[in-house]
């Protein structure tokens, strides 16, 4: 089974390549191999690889910068996702899309569930929610949206590695205390995505 991983160098995509089951052939593509904002580029790659599954690990993730780069955030997190969803449906390809807990407003005092009402409070969250809605509208069957938070791994930059580095350099650290999150190990997330990739059917929920 061929699987196209989009977002070649990000943490989750890297872990997907490390944990790929032996009976699956993974093709990890970055911006040099596929332009997900261009429908012709997506078509070309799908026809070339004939994947059974697309795992979209790419995203515009500069949360603060998104406030001043709204067009870029929506282009990658919403418009490109819509193009992927439409093309996946056209070619009957399973689509797995990685989203975020930023689609919520953070006011809940208990863990969020799939059925909780979304209410993003910044451009990043709103653009990711728009991507989710695009999948539900254009690829409601045989697709899945996986929301994550605070992803960390030994590869790339992340909060855990930053804290470990700072603790080795400084005697005292100053960090915000008004944020609550659930750190997600990228290796475990990758293994879960491979399980989803091999399920018989999916529904975008």
């Amino acid at each position: 089974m061929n699987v196209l991983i989009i977002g070649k160098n990000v943490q989750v995509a890297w872990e997907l390549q490390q944990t790929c089951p032996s009976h699956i052939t993974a093709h990890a593509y970055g911006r040099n191999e596929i332009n997900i904002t261009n429908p012709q580029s997506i078509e070309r790659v799908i026809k070339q690889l004939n994947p059974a599954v697309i795992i979209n690990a790419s995203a515009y993730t500069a949360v603060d910068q998104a406030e001043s780069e709204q067009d870029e955030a929506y282009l990658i997190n919403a418009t490109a996702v819509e193009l992927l969803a439409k093309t996946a449906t056209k070619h009957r390809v399973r689509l797995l899309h990685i989203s975020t807990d930023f689609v919520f407003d953070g006011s809940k005092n208990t863990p969020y569930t799939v059925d909780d009402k979304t209410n993003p409070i910044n451009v990043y969250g709103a653009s990711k929610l728009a991507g989710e809605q695009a999948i539900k509208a254009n690829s409601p069957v045989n697709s899945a949206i996986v929301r994550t938070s605070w992803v960390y791994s030994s590869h790339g930059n992340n909060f855990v590695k930053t804290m470990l580095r700072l603790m080795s350099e400084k005697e005292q650290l100053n960090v915000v205390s008004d944020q609550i999150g659930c750190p997600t190990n990228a290796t475990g997330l990758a293994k879960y995505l491979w399980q989803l990739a091999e399920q018989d059917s999916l529904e975008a929920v």
Side-chain angles (χ1 to χ4, degrees):
M1 180 172 74
N2 281 339
V3 174
L4 169 61
I5 302 170
I6 300 175
K8 184 176 182 177
N9 296 313
V10 301
Q11 293 181 92
V12 177
W14 189 83
E15 293 291 351
L16 281 166
Q17 295 171 73
Q18 308 310 305
T19 59
C20 180
S22 59
H23 60 281
I24 292 177
T25 302
H27 305 268
Y29 278 22
R31 63 183 60 187
N32 291 331
E33 291 86 16
I34 184 172
N35 179 0
I36 58 173
T37 67
N38 184 305
Q40 287 76 33
S41 179
I42 299 172
E43 282 276 355
R44 175 183 56 79
V45 171
I46 288 181
K47 289 180 179 178
Q48 176 186 5
L49 297 180
N50 190 30
V53 181
I54 295 173
I55 303 178
N56 182 32
S58 67
Y60 180 103
T61 58
V63 177
D64 295 332
Q65 198 169 325
E67 299 300 318
S68 59
E69 295 185 354
Q70 295 188 28
D71 290 345
E72 182 68 15
Y74 272 90
L75 178 63
I76 302 299
N77 292 343
T79 303
V81 175
E82 180 178 2
L83 292 175
L84 286 171
K86 287 181 176 179
T87 311
T89 297
K90 176 183 176 181
H91 292 277
R92 298 182 180 180
V93 179
R94 176 170 295 178
L95 175 62
L96 307 182
H97 175 69
I98 300 175
S99 191
T100 173
D101 62 335
F102 273 81
V103 298
F104 302 113
D105 58 20
S107 62
K108 190 177 178 182
N109 293 320
T110 55
Y112 281 97
T113 68
V114 172
D115 297 322
D116 283 330
K117 183 179 180 180
T118 54
N119 185 36
I121 59 175
N122 55 25
V123 171
Y124 169 66
S127 66
K128 290 294 287 183
L129 178 58
E132 291 188 6
Q133 293 168 338
I135 290 176
K136 292 179 180 180
N138 295 282
S139 186
V141 178
N142 212 30
S143 64
I145 298 163
V146 180
R147 292 171 178 156
T148 66
S149 64
W150 296 23
V151 176
Y152 69 93
S153 76
S154 60
H155 176 78
N157 299 316
N158 55 72
F159 179 78
V160 173
K161 288 178 68 175
T162 299
M163 288 298 100
L164 290 173
R165 176 178 57 80
L166 291 176
M167 284 189 289
S168 68
E169 297 173 352
K170 299 181 179 182
E171 294 183 359
Q172 182 175 339
L173 299 180
N174 295 319
V175 295
V176 298
S177 60
D178 60 347
Q179 294 185 23
I180 299 174
C182 179
T184 303
N185 178 263
T187 302
L189 177 57
K191 291 178 179 178
Y192 174 69
L193 289 168
W194 285 125
Q195 291 178 3
L196 280 181
E198 296 188 85
Q199 284 190 14
D200 291 336
S201 63
L202 296 170
E203 184 176 352
V205 295

